Amino acid sequence: MIKVAIVGCNGKMGGFVARSVEESAVCETLFGVDAFGTSRYDFPVYKSFDEAADKPDVIVDFSNPAALDGMLGYALQNAVPCVICTTGYSAEQVAQIKKASEQIAVFYSGNMSLGINLLTALAKQAARVLGDSFDIEIVEKHHNLKVDAPSGTALMIADGISETLSEEPQYVYDRHAYRKKRSKNEIGIHSVRGGTIVGEHEVIFAGHDEVVTLTHQAQSKEVFAAGAVNAAAFLAQQPAGLYDMTSLLADKFE
């Protein structure tokens, strides 16, 4: 069995991950790490990795950007692969994650859903065909407790689209500050926060007299937890490097 450490286990997503690991045939939870340090599970929960006595086979992180230093420090010191599902990292922290992948296996994705990664692939293909003559806008919607905006998934989609365009686009997040017409070299990214929306992402390609729209709706956070556990089982067998959902899908469909 693959022994998993869950960072942020007392949060909502951490709870879903714990349940998915429990239901897994190949993984089991060794311990959790959470700033609150209390356990409602049948495995121990520590306030930091300094308290952990046993070494896991892989770490699954659904926590907060503030936990990155402690987690990566432990992972690098003990050569433990990391599945990083937290969003809202700064550019410096993303660079830190990529640097760590030179020494350990790191699975880093803005979204762990199979469907949203398919949406990203379709958006990239649409951009190859339509990008030069269609305006591209992304709208993301989440619950009213989400603190980062735009979502990591929206940025992941935008970055994927950007890879296919002949000229690197400008991301525009707050159009009310612009007193000018929309330029062609833009991707607009818009955030909606309200109620209990789990996650909705819409990619709009707006051309002359026609609009193409790609949409994904997550009905439950369990889809992200299941994806993270699948990633953990995959990553535990990989050498050092940076992996994402594309790597996992390629492995499944070989």
Side-chain angles (χ1 to χ4, degrees):
M1 295 287 280
I2 298 169
K3 293 179 171 56
V4 178
I6 305 173
V7 184
C9 60
N10 288 336
K12 286 186 177 181
M13 279 308 308
F16 285 122
V17 172
R19 183 188 306 171
S20 291
V21 172
E22 184 179 0
E23 296 171 352
S24 170
V26 297
C27 296
E28 62 180 2
T29 303
L30 182 63
F31 62 82
V33 177
D34 196 282
F36 294 100
T38 57
S39 180
R40 49 191 171 93
Y41 307 102
D42 58 1
F43 55 81
V45 176
Y46 308 120
K47 289 186 178 180
S48 73
F49 279 100
D50 294 335
E51 301 176 14
D54 299 315
K55 175 183 168 182
D57 297 314
V58 62
I59 296 168
V60 175
D61 169 54
F62 261 114
S63 59
N64 185 284
L68 182 66
D69 286 348
M71 180 185 67
L72 281 185
Y74 175 88
L76 289 167
Q77 183 177 355
N78 294 277
V80 180
C82 294
V83 177
I84 302 177
C85 312
T86 298
T87 60
Y89 289 119
S90 67
E92 292 76 13
Q93 287 177 310
V94 173
Q96 186 180 352
I97 291 169
K98 292 180 178 179
K99 181 68 174 178
S101 71
E102 297 175 4
Q103 300 180 52
I104 59 173
V106 176
F107 192 106
Y108 177 51
S109 176
N111 192 293
M112 300 303 297
S113 158
L114 174 64
I116 202 69
N117 282 275
L118 175 60
L119 172 71
T120 303
L122 293 173
K124 291 171 68 174
Q125 183 61 30
R128 290 187 184 97
V129 177
L130 307 173
D132 290 336
S133 54
F134 281 60
D135 297 324
I136 304 171
E137 299 280 312
I138 299 171
V139 181
E140 57 95 352
K141 304 175 185 178
H142 285 87
H143 53 87
N144 56 22
L145 298 179
K146 186 172 178 62
V147 296
D148 59 309
S151 69
T153 301
L155 292 173
M156 180 181 76
I157 296 169
D159 289 345
I161 292 172
S162 297
E163 294 172 2
T164 70
L165 300 177
S166 56
E167 183 179 354
E168 184 177 354
Q170 174 191 6
Y171 295 171
V172 176
Y173 306 103
D174 193 9
R175 199 172 296 283
H176 89 276
Y178 286 78
R179 299 294 296 175
K180 61 179 182 180
K181 70 176 185 178
R182 187 190 197 282
S183 69
K184 296 298 296 183
N185 188 37
E186 289 184 14
I187 295 180
I189 305 177
H190 315 278
S191 300
V192 176
R193 297 289 176 267
T196 58
I197 301 171
V198 174
E200 298 182 14
H201 291 84
E202 181 179 35
V203 186
I204 302 167
F205 294 87
H208 183 70
D209 292 339
E210 60 180 334
V211 176
V212 177
T213 303
L214 301 172
T215 304
H216 176 270
Q217 297 181 352
Q219 304 297 330
S220 167
K221 290 185 177 182
E222 292 183 29
V223 299
F224 309 125
V229 174
N230 284 333
F234 162 77
L235 196 68
Q237 315 301 324
Q238 304 305 317
L242 188 62
Y243 302 86
D244 58 17
M245 188 60 75
T246 304
S247 311
L248 176 58
L249 294 179
D251 180 72
K252 282 185 172 295
F253 291 108
E254 279 185 349

